[in-house]
Amino acid sequence: MIKLLAIAEKNFGLSKNGKIPWEFSEDRNLFQKLTLNSAVIMGRNTFFSHKNFPLKNRINCVITKTDIPN
């Protein structure tokens, strides 16, 4: 089964200055519940923008045009 989860603000923005422009624990908890023990696909900037990456107990798939440093 494939699930798609996308989060955007009312003008369909995804980030501002390299960060998510909102912080709701309910959203974070739902994201964790829905993605636990599954694969998560994200861009390079998302992967490197958070201190909690790679996400634990998930397969982290990073889509990028550039190399990712080891």
Side-chain angles (χ1 to χ4, degrees):
M1 177 190 302
I2 297 175
K3 296 178 185 177
L4 176 65
L5 177 64
I7 300 171
E9 53 90 43
K10 65 181 178 177
N11 294 321
F12 302 104
L14 300 175
S15 68
K16 183 173 183 176
N17 299 324
K19 297 184 180 191
I20 296 173
W22 61 86
E23 180 64 34
F24 298 110
S25 60
E26 299 89 13
D27 289 345
R28 188 175 45 253
N29 292 338
L30 179 60
F31 177 80
Q32 181 176 0
K33 179 181 175 184
L34 293 174
T35 62
L36 201 60
N37 299 315
S38 62
V40 178
I41 301 171
M42 66 195 89
R44 179 183 185 272
N45 290 336
T46 299
F47 183 78
F48 286 113
S49 68
H50 297 282
K51 62 183 176 182
N52 296 326
F53 282 105
L55 297 172
K56 294 179 182 173
N57 300 316
R58 296 165 187 88
I59 298 170
N60 291 254
C61 302
V62 181
I63 306 296
T64 181
K65 293 180 186 179
T66 60
D67 290 336
I68 297 177
N70 293 329

